[in-house]
Amino acid sequence: MRPFVHGRPKRAHVGVVQIVTEAVDPLLSSIREQAKAHFSQAKGSHDWDHTLRVHRLCRRIGAAEGADLLVTEAAAYLHDIGRGQQDRSQGTLCHAESGAAIAREMLSAFPLADERKENIMHCIAAHRFRRGDTPRTIEACVLFDADKLDAIGAVGVARAFLFAGELGARLHSPEINVTQAPAYSIDDTGYREYVVKLSLIRNRMLTATGRRMADERHQFMAGFFDRFIEEYEGEM
């Protein structure tokens, strides 16, 4: 697959990048509405609001990196449509793989070039941090970075504890090695998520724009969790 370039960046007077998407807005709107229908019973940590934040980040990063914005925006809307299957399976199913399969059927009805459809499905299949395909197009790299940026910084801290609360996990499990705590358990805490995943994200970013954004978010997040442990241990 080769990367596409769609739309053109345009600077507004306030310095915000606007994207001229020409005649594709109705198509993206339809994809958006079909994707949204998969989130009616989504949990807060991976709900439609998360999808919209990732979409906004994809527009920003994609414009800066010269990506095909039709592909990145469509993939952003669709990237977590398999999340419900993963949650119901307690993590035994991969939402990136199931989401790509759902997207394949959904996109068959849209007037998109096959190469674009394949790129969208690749973006979805390759966006997961822990496993999955390796991103091979700039659009897949953009989605990967956007999704990971929403997992770090102030929003990432909030989501880590939100997810732990959804599982019924403890606030912290100081008596165990958190790296050995099983996922989807009472010890799958917000701090565990930081240690085993979130603290590593900054070094996994794939685009120059994503790396710059990740540096600032990582610094805030690391400072928060350092303070969290100090307060938990009664040191402050």
Side-chain angles (χ1 to χ4, degrees):
M1 287 179 286
R2 62 178 179 83
F4 301 91
V5 177
H6 172 78
R8 57 185 183 275
K10 181 180 180 181
R11 286 285 176 184
H13 294 300
V14 294
V16 177
V17 175
Q18 295 179 327
I19 308 302
V20 180
T21 52
E22 296 166 356
V24 302
D25 284 344
L27 187 150
L28 281 174
S29 294
S30 182
I31 291 175
R32 171 188 170 122
E33 291 308 307
Q34 290 194 37
K36 186 177 180 180
H38 288 265
F39 291 84
S40 60
Q41 298 181 358
K43 296 180 179 179
S45 60
H46 292 89
D47 60 2
W48 184 244
D49 290 335
H50 161 67
T51 293
L52 294 180
R53 291 193 301 272
V54 170
H55 175 261
R56 290 192 290 269
L57 286 166
C58 275
R59 285 176 65 94
R60 177 177 177 179
I61 300 170
E65 299 291 329
D68 179 344
L69 294 177
L70 174 58
V71 170
T72 57
E73 290 188 53
Y77 287 139
L78 297 168
H79 81 281
D80 267 355
I81 57 176
R83 184 76 202 190
Q85 294 184 12
Q86 178 174 311
D87 289 343
R88 288 189 293 272
S89 72
Q90 294 289 291
T92 59
L93 294 178
C94 174
H95 75 277
E97 295 174 1
S98 59
I102 296 169
R104 179 179 294 277
E105 181 176 355
M106 183 187 302
L107 291 173
S108 65
F110 286 91
L112 285 169
D114 288 344
E115 194 171 11
R116 269 181 162 167
K117 290 179 181 179
E118 291 297 326
N119 199 356
I120 293 169
M121 289 180 288
H122 168 63
C123 291
I124 298 167
H127 86 271
R128 196 174 178 196
F129 179 83
R130 290 187 174 96
R131 66 182 184 185
D133 292 348
T134 300
R136 300 189 303 275
T137 66
I138 185 59
E139 292 76 25
C141 292
V142 167
L143 176 61
F144 183 92
D145 282 6
D147 187 53
K148 302 310 158 288
L149 282 169
D150 200 57
I152 61 176
V155 169
V157 169
R159 289 183 65 211
F161 285 102
L162 180 59
F163 181 66
E166 292 167 358
L167 298 177
R170 302 167 64 189
L171 181 64
H172 183 41
S173 301
E175 71 282 357
I176 68 170
N177 181 347
V178 295
T179 63
Q180 298 177 358
Y184 288 85
S185 73
I186 194 172
D187 294 314
D188 194 356
T189 64
Y191 181 69
R192 174 193 178 274
E193 183 75 353
Y194 167 69
V195 171
V196 304
K197 176 184 176 182
L198 308 187
S199 64
L200 309 176
I201 284 177
R202 176 176 62 172
N203 296 325
R204 291 282 299 276
M205 304 300 284
L206 301 176
T207 69
T209 307
R211 284 190 290 272
R212 287 193 297 270
M213 297 175 70
D215 282 342
E216 184 175 355
R217 292 192 182 210
H218 178 89
Q219 291 175 15
F220 175 91
M221 178 179 64
F224 172 88
F225 279 106
D226 286 346
R227 174 69 179 249
F228 171 78
I229 294 300
E230 290 174 347
E231 291 189 11
Y232 194 92
E233 297 297 334
E235 297 173 1
M236 292 190 70

